[in-house]
Amino acid sequence: MLLALPLLLLTSCKEDVSDVFVMAKDVENTAFVQSGNKLLIRVQAISDNYKVDRIRIYSVDAEKGSVQLKDTLVGGVKQVDFYFMYTVPSYFISDTAALTLQFEAVASNGGSSKMALAYKVVGGASLIHYDGIVMYGARSGRANGFSL
């Protein structure tokens, strides 16, 4: 009876094979970007048992949420390999913001695979140069520039 239990467990296990696999790689391996920067991304999708039917690309950030950038029917092929050029939006108003690009491949049987690339957008607000500003210290008797 004790030998039957491991045999039952081994025969009931099934390998979970994905129908399609998607991979996206930033050509320049960038992690920190600025508004207006262009990102060149290589996108690959492969399916062994089925065909790749569709590729979807989304951008996700705190300003606009999830925005669909591309939804392309690829004609039922086994493998897709292309480059995608993305321009970082200029609407980021904070000093730093998180930006995620999501990639999804859909197989002919309806199965799908997803992958995401994460970026940090820096320098949303720029410094402004002023001339002729005078700051006084606490002992001067005038308005203290360090504690107004």
Side-chain angles (χ1 to χ4, degrees):
M1 182 65 174
L2 289 176
L3 291 175
L5 185 59
L7 184 59
L8 177 64
L9 290 175
L10 288 175
T11 57
S12 64
C13 292
K14 180 180 174 186
E15 185 179 348
D16 185 21
V17 177
S18 179
D19 301 326
V20 64
F21 175 75
V22 66
M23 186 176 80
K25 182 178 184 324
D26 187 327
V27 173
E28 297 180 5
N29 291 325
T30 310
F32 297 95
V33 295
Q34 293 180 335
S35 295
N37 281 50
K38 295 191 182 301
L39 304 172
L40 183 61
I41 299 164
R42 183 178 183 186
V43 181
Q44 296 174 297
I46 299 170
S47 180
D48 287 335
N49 301 325
Y50 301 96
K51 294 187 178 184
V52 180
D53 274 350
R54 176 172 292 214
I55 301 286
R56 292 185 184 119
I57 302 174
Y58 300 90
S59 70
V60 181
D61 60 62
E63 298 285 331
K64 301 278 184 174
S66 179
V67 176
Q68 187 174 46
L69 303 174
K70 189 175 209 58
D71 184 0
T72 303
L73 294 171
V74 292
V77 294
K78 289 282 192 182
Q79 180 174 344
V80 176
D81 190 351
F82 67 95
Y83 288 89
F84 178 71
M85 178 69 75
Y86 177 74
T87 303
V88 178
S90 58
Y91 55 74
F92 292 103
I93 56 174
S94 62
D95 289 336
T96 61
L99 170 68
T100 304
L101 295 178
Q102 297 177 343
F103 302 86
E104 179 183 18
V106 180
S108 57
N109 70 337
S112 67
S113 174
K114 294 180 182 179
M115 182 189 172
L117 296 175
Y119 296 94
K120 187 68 78 172
V121 181
V122 295
S126 60
L127 297 176
I128 300 172
H129 177 78
Y130 289 100
D131 286 327
I133 298 175
V134 179
M135 297 180 71
Y136 298 97
R139 294 185 186 193
S140 70
R142 297 188 174 178
N144 182 352
F146 298 105
S147 60
L148 292 175

